[in-house]
Amino acid sequence: MQNSLNEWKSKWIQFMSKISPEYYSEYLGSVVFYFGAEGNFANFVNNHQSMGTLVFSIVCAVLFGLYVAMANGGGNLSSAITLPLCLAGRKPWRKFPGYVIAHFLGAITASLVTYWLYYDQFNVKKTNNVFIMQMMTTYPPTSGIRKSTMFMEQFLAAFGVVFGVLAITDSENPAEHPATHVISISLMVGALLGSLGASGVFILVPDLDLAGRIISLIYAKDAGWSVLGYEYFFIPQFSLYSGGLAATIIYKLFIEFLHPNNTQSNKVDACQL
């Protein structure tokens, strides 16, 4: 019995090893985080959950999602994080496509499960399509909010998270430790959730936003794409990636390039000249 079990395990590992294990962890970690985010937003919108409970629950979702994703070396949970890390040289570009696919599949999975779980409540309570969009995507609570405001909110949220991730995971940071990383990043996301989100119910994950629009399209017809104009679809995508890019550039120029090791080596080179 033990031999057959070991043989099956060996074959399973051999089969699964055709794809890097970190992509599986990243996918499952994304599912945990995304489902936690969407499920709590669903309770917030549909069952009048308090804002404090929402923020705390999403912090926990980030925390557990990171632990799952980091089991085999991942831990990005969003393409808006992976891209800046690649730009900063923290992650090889060859892994970028795999991470994007893992995040999007995780987002689709989480959105499908959330939609399925809350489908009956939508029908019984005759939930407004706007509420569904707020649950599934980044979406403004009222129609009077300017698109520029929503863009800036998303931009600042992405900037804050990416800047924080770069600082927390900096090799020169004296507090560098995986456990510290997970807790610090989770608390940082919670702080941003508490201070931003009034204009667009920000989710901070372009993968989840896109998946949510695809799933909500099934229920809310074209609400996800045209209620605020087709261009609104691009706001979360461009604002999140551009916010991460800006954070990467500023962190590199004003912090990483000025680390003591870098400045000292430059002084030595100057003396040698």
Side-chain angles (χ1 to χ4, degrees):
M1 179 67 179
Q2 186 65 35
N3 290 335
S4 60
L5 183 61
N6 290 335
E7 183 180 353
W8 178 88
K9 179 181 177 181
S10 178
K11 290 181 179 179
W12 174 255
I13 293 174
Q14 184 178 4
F15 172 76
M16 295 297 287
S17 296
K18 294 178 181 179
I19 299 177
S20 178
E22 65 185 293
Y23 298 136
Y24 297 121
S25 294
E26 195 69 23
Y27 163 74
L28 293 173
S30 298
V31 171
V32 171
F33 167 44
Y34 296 166
F35 176 69
E38 281 193 333
N40 278 285
F41 270 117
N43 273 318
F44 178 72
V45 171
N46 223 36
N47 298 322
H48 308 293
Q49 177 178 282
S50 69
M51 185 64 180
T53 303
L54 171 66
V55 172
F56 177 76
S57 300
I58 292 180
V59 167
C60 291
V62 174
L63 184 69
F64 296 137
L66 282 173
Y67 272 119
V68 173
M70 292 175 67
N72 285 319
N76 295 172
L77 299 184
S78 170
S79 299
I81 302 296
T82 304
L83 179 60
L85 289 178
C86 290
L87 290 170
R90 305 279 185 91
K91 191 171 291 292
W93 279 103
R94 59 183 172 79
K95 293 186 177 182
F96 180 71
Y99 272 76
V100 171
I101 293 172
H103 295 149
F104 182 70
L105 291 178
I108 286 289
T109 303
S111 296
L112 282 171
V113 172
T114 305
Y115 174 79
W116 178 73
L117 286 175
Y118 283 89
Y119 180 79
D120 291 337
Q121 287 198 43
F122 294 157
N123 286 331
V124 171
K125 296 185 178 182
K126 299 186 183 304
T127 306
N128 188 290
N129 286 346
V130 172
F131 290 158
I132 297 173
M133 291 305 300
Q134 287 178 334
M135 183 193 83
M136 305 291 285
T137 69
T138 50
Y139 198 81
T142 64
S143 59
I145 297 175
R146 293 173 298 175
K147 293 183 177 66
S148 59
T149 302
M150 291 185 282
F151 182 95
M152 185 53 63
E153 182 181 66
Q154 300 279 310
F155 178 91
L156 291 174
F159 183 96
V161 169
V162 172
F163 197 85
V165 167
L166 291 174
I168 292 168
T169 59
D170 195 328
S171 60
E172 296 294 321
N173 192 325
E176 188 200 11
H177 189 277
T180 307
H181 292 175
V182 171
I183 296 172
S184 300
I185 292 172
S186 301
L187 292 175
M188 175 185 61
V189 171
L192 287 168
L193 273 173
S195 59
L196 296 169
S199 299
V201 195
F202 93 93
I203 294 179
L204 195 59
V205 186
D207 321 272
L208 186 57
D209 184 89
L210 177 59
R213 291 178 190 282
I214 293 173
I215 302 304
S216 64
L217 192 63
I218 300 172
Y219 183 87
K221 306 306 179 185
D222 66 345
W225 305 90
S226 62
V227 164
L228 291 178
Y230 289 98
E231 69 274 12
Y232 180 69
F233 160 71
F234 295 101
I235 290 178
Q237 303 296 324
F238 282 106
S239 60
L240 293 174
Y241 285 115
S242 59
L245 175 61
T248 304
I249 293 173
I250 291 178
Y251 191 86
K252 281 282 190 180
L253 291 177
F254 294 97
I255 296 181
E256 190 168 311
F257 288 167
L258 302 180
H259 281 329
N261 290 338
N262 293 332
T263 55
Q264 288 174 6
S265 63
N266 287 336
K267 288 180 180 179
V268 171
D269 293 340
C271 291
Q272 290 176 349
L273 291 175

